[in-house]
């Protein structure tokens, strides 16, 4: 055998080993792709119903938000109406009521001055008591108390 034939055999063996490694790598890649395809199919089977449920929940929430928005606008309208009514009542009755109260006070004061000092009652004298630690001591005992 010549040197060229040996070199040819070595190249052929090298190519055979390289092709074998590539075949094993491709077989493993194909197995990984099959497992990935199966996993994606299972995830899709579980995700579709979840997405449908989420979509239903979002629609329901949107309906409730629309209802709350309508209620809030009605409450705002009632609040503004109540404020306007309060302002109207205050301006309509407030001034005259103050005038009536002032007139009543003036009449009472004039009547009390007209009656004179003889009708006024003398204020009662306040009782002289001393409070000691939550107890009331009458005037008669105050002098007998020991000083500390």
């Amino acid at each position: 055998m010549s040197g060229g034939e040996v070199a040819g055999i070595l190249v052929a063996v090298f190519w055979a080993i390289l092709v074998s490694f590539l075949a094993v790598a491709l077989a493993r890649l194909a197995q990984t792709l099959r497992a990935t395809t199966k996993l994606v199919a299972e995830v899709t089977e579980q995700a579709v119903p979840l997405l449908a449920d989420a979509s239903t929940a979002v629609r329901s929430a949107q309906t409730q938000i629309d209802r709350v928005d309508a209620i809030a606008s009605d409450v705002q309208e009632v609040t503004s109406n109540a404020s306007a009514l309060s302002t109207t009542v205050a301006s309509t009755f407030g001034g005259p009521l103050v005038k009536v109260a002032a007139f009543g006070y003036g009449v009472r004061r004039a009547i009390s001055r007209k009656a004179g000092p003889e009708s006024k009652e003398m204020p009662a004298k306040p009782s002289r008591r001393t409070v000691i630690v939550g107890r009331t001591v009458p005037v008669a005992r105050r002098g007998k108390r020991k000083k500390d």
Side-chain angles (χ1 to χ4, degrees):
M1 260 208 281
S2 68
E5 290 176 345
V6 172
I9 291 175
L10 284 174
V11 169
V13 170
F14 173 72
W15 276 107
I17 293 172
L18 181 64
V19 168
S20 298
F21 281 131
L22 287 176
V24 169
L26 287 175
R28 288 189 179 177
L29 181 62
Q31 184 181 15
T32 304
L33 287 176
R34 276 192 297 269
T36 304
T37 304
K38 183 179 176 184
L39 180 65
V40 168
E42 289 175 0
V43 168
T44 303
E45 287 176 9
Q46 293 177 1
V48 170
L50 289 175
L51 289 175
D53 291 344
S55 176
T56 304
V58 168
R59 283 192 201 106
S60 175
Q62 182 62 37
T63 304
Q64 296 300 323
I65 288 173
D66 291 341
R67 288 180 184 169
V68 168
D69 189 35
I71 291 170
S73 65
D74 291 343
V75 167
Q76 183 179 8
E77 184 178 340
V78 167
T79 303
S80 64
N81 289 343
S83 176
L85 179 65
S86 172
T87 304
T88 303
V89 167
S91 65
T92 303
F93 296 114
L97 286 176
V98 168
K99 290 177 184 177
V100 167
F103 178 74
Y105 176 75
V107 168
R108 276 185 279 135
R109 190 151 184 205
I111 290 173
S112 70
R113 283 191 179 175
K114 187 177 179 184
E118 61 273 350
S119 66
K120 288 185 178 179
E121 295 179 12
M122 296 294 285
K125 282 189 173 180
S127 65
R128 300 188 70 193
R129 295 181 178 214
T130 304
V131 177
I132 301 173
V133 192
R135 300 173 110 185
T136 303
V137 179
V139 178
R141 290 185 51 196
R142 195 175 309 147
K144 296 179 183 178
R145 201 176 68 168
K146 293 182 182 178
K147 292 184 181 181
D148 294 337

